[in-house]
Amino acid sequence: MAITLKNPTGLPEIDVYRQVSVATGTKLVFVAGQVAWDADGTTVGEGDLAAQVERCYVNVATALAGVGASFDDVAKLNVHVVDWTPDKMPLLLEGISRASAKLGITPVPPATMLGVAALDIPEHLVEIEATAVID
């Protein structure tokens, strides 16, 4: 495994991600922002943030698998949520939990969450991009 996740002393321990990732692999993998599309380009979970988060994680996992990688290889996630407010956190966490159960993973690489005004189309509520490192 090319990624080691850490919570250095002096920084808070956050349940859903680690503060630092150390990459020792030789190839970088950049996954385009994934939205809640199925394989046919149909939006999944219209109006349902948790369902869209779940689908985004599934799509990231699919993209990673396509190049021989997995969430174990992810060094960094960026999560973009339309009209973010803190009261949406339970829905975000529910979507992550459902994706984790479906994929059999615990995705905890360092992550940045950004509130955005809009994404590519009005039906999309969240977009998740990943950077991974593989040997």
Side-chain angles (χ1 to χ4, degrees), residues 5 8 12 14 23 28 31 39-40 43 61 76 88 115 128 132:
L5 302 176
I14 309 297
L28 290 174
V31 177
D40 296 321
T43 299
K76 179 78 166 66
K88 293 181 181 177
I128 301 173

Side-chain angles (χ1 to χ4, degrees), residues 70-106:
S70 72
F71 264 96
D72 287 339
D73 302 304
V74 173
K76 179 78 166 66
L77 289 174
N78 289 321
V79 179
H80 307 267
V81 182
V82 173
D83 296 326
W84 174 257
T85 55
D87 63 309
K88 293 181 181 177
M89 183 62 82
L91 294 172
L92 180 81
L93 295 176
E94 178 185 338
I96 293 170
S97 178
R98 289 174 11 192
S100 297
K102 182 179 279 185
L103 297 168
I105 61 168
T106 305

Side-chain angles (χ1 to χ4, degrees), residues 13-127:
E13 289 193 23
I14 309 297
D15 289 340
V16 296
Y17 66 88
R18 301 299 175 263
Q19 295 285 359
V20 176
S21 65
V22 178
T24 57
T26 57
K27 295 179 187 175
L28 290 174
V29 177
F30 299 95
V31 177
Q34 296 298 303
V35 293
W37 274 331
D38 65 14
D40 296 321
T42 302
T43 299
V44 173
E46 190 169 334
D48 183 342
L49 180 60
Q52 289 200 16
V53 168
E54 177 184 2
R55 184 61 196 212
C56 289
Y57 271 84
V58 168
N59 288 350
V60 169
T62 301
L64 291 167
V67 296
S70 72
F71 264 96
D72 287 339
D73 302 304
V74 173
K76 179 78 166 66
L77 289 174
N78 289 321
V79 179
H80 307 267
V81 182
V82 173
D83 296 326
W84 174 257
T85 55
D87 63 309
K88 293 181 181 177
M89 183 62 82
L91 294 172
L92 180 81
L93 295 176
E94 178 185 338
I96 293 170
S97 178
R98 289 174 11 192
S100 297
K102 182 179 279 185
L103 297 168
I105 61 168
T106 305
V108 292
T112 298
M113 190 176 59
L114 301 167
V116 296
L119 292 170
D120 59 332
I121 61 173
E123 293 80 20
H124 290 158
L125 304 176
V126 63
E127 182 171 329

